[in-house]
Amino acid sequence: MTVASIDAGRVMRVAALRPVGDRTVELILAGSGLPRWAPGAHVDLVLPSGQVRPYSLAGDPDDARSWRLLIAYSGGGASAQIHHALRVGDEVRVRGPRNLFPLGMAPRYLFLASGAGIAPLLPMARRVRAARIHPWSMIHIDADGGTGALAAEVGSLGPDCRSSSDPATARDALALAPSRTAVYACGSGRFVDAIADAAPTGVEVHRQRFDAPPTEPGAAHPFELELARRGETVRVEAGTSVLTALHRAGVPVPVACGTGICGACVVGVVGGEVQHRDAVLRAADRAASRLIVTCVSTAAGDRLSLDL
Ligand code: FES
């Protein structure tokens, strides 16, 4: 199987690594001539083990010399490597940034986060504050109960910004949100789904989850994959992902997380319907069926035509 990378990325040095909240560390990566990014952007961190994980950028979008990430400890995998094995001075490869969680214009904002999900919301809040858009507020749910460095940072953003260990605080703030409030929610899948389910009428929820959604293993049924520009057809067997079928056919589609959360493997769709299983596409993109996250999503019918 051929696996092509998204881009070569850049090598960055670990400049700082320190605890900032409940099971969360702040990772500062140093480089030079770093591209600017917009709030909501993320980078893909390529760990020394070869594992690739997307992390939201939490610092200053105009900082051309360092990028700041917040990493929650999840008990193993990439987070364990970062918490326990990474050291100041180590080099890591970083790809991106890319933005799948952009901040849109709205008359008022409510930022809701759980744990390290606060990462993309910090630069969003600073952007809204700088633009003097009012009202806006932020609730950060963190098990440390508002005692860590992250909680202090949240509290310093404005009078309506606070951390709490009680998830009901976020639900209460949401219940009071007036119509046309743009809610940006980031955290575990359970957290952001609960926010979306509880949103009052007229409140638009934009969500990003930092854990992978449960996915089914590959296609539920075999189907034909048409590569429109190549003029080729690839058969996808039941239990095989679109991405795997493409790689087996020698089509170099980028891949990073492999779990539908980073967007690296997104491909254009020119015909057929997609059964979406990812956690990155926006509702409008899903409804239009013009994009597919090839590592997890599949065809709804017996044929799918891709812009490849
Ligand atoms: S590789 Fe990350 S979404 Fe497919």
Side-chain angles (χ1 to χ4, degrees):
M1 182 170 82
T2 303
V3 178
S5 57
I6 315 164
D7 59 43
R10 57 179 52 77
V11 174
M12 299 183 74
R13 187 179 49 80
V14 176
L17 187 63
R18 64 173 187 130
V20 289
D22 177 59
R23 295 151 63 96
T24 301
V25 294
E26 174 190 70
L27 174 61
I28 305 292
L29 298 171
S32 61
L34 301 176
R36 287 184 179 164
W37 47 275
H42 72 271
V43 292
D44 296 326
L45 203 57
V46 185
L47 293 163
S49 67
Q51 273 189 295
V52 183
R53 286 291 176 272
Y55 292 103
S56 294
L57 289 163
D60 175 0
D62 294 326
D63 185 349
R65 293 171 42 172
S66 72
W67 282 342
R68 178 195 189 207
L69 315 178
L70 301 175
I71 291 110
Y73 181 64
S74 63
S79 72
Q81 288 178 52
I82 295 166
H83 278 244
H84 300 316
L86 212 57
R87 298 280 178 269
V88 170
D90 284 354
E91 289 187 338
V92 290
R93 188 166 285 279
V94 186
R95 297 175 185 146
R98 288 174 295 129
N99 200 337
L100 299 165
F101 190 42
L103 178 67
M105 288 301 295
R108 55 184 70 87
Y109 295 89
L110 172 60
F111 299 106
L112 301 174
S114 71
I118 193 69
L121 306 190
L122 291 170
M124 283 187 183
R126 290 191 168 104
R127 178 63 54 87
V128 167
R129 185 178 64 178
R132 298 181 185 277
I133 299 170
H134 289 290
W136 68 274
S137 56
M138 171 180 274
I139 304 289
H140 175 218
I141 305 301
D142 204 26
D144 74 358
T147 57
L150 215 42
E153 181 177 351
V154 169
S156 73
L157 289 173
D160 296 321
C161 302
R162 61 200 163 104
S163 288
S164 167
S165 58
D166 182 2
T169 312
R171 291 197 297 272
D172 292 347
L174 182 64
L176 294 173
S179 178
R180 299 184 65 218
T181 299
V183 175
Y184 285 79
C186 186
S188 66
R190 212 169 113 191
F191 176 79
V192 298
D193 288 349
I195 294 298
D197 290 346
T201 306
V203 168
E204 192 179 0
V205 177
H206 307 263
R207 54 184 153 163
Q208 176 168 271
R209 57 192 294 169
F210 56 54
D211 52 354
T215 57
E216 294 168 50
H221 57 271
F223 63 92
E224 300 292 323
L225 201 56
E226 191 180 281
L227 312 183
R229 281 190 275 134
R230 289 176 171 235
E232 296 171 15
T233 299
V234 172
R235 184 167 173 80
V236 182
E237 300 295 345
T240 301
S241 72
V242 170
L243 183 67
T244 298
L246 290 170
H247 285 163
R248 282 180 181 157
V251 184
V253 177
V255 60
C257 71
T259 55
I261 61 173
C262 76
C265 65
V266 172
V267 165
V269 175
V270 292
E273 258 194 65
V274 179
Q275 186 182 102
H276 295 286
R277 297 170 174 168
D278 65 277
V280 292
L281 294 185
R282 290 177 295 187
D285 292 326
R286 286 167 188 245
S289 240
R290 287 293 166 262
L291 294 173
I292 180 171
V293 179
T294 56
C295 65
V296 291
S297 297
T298 186
D302 56 8
R303 198 166 184 87
L304 199 60
S305 185
L306 302 184
D307 188 22
L308 287 172

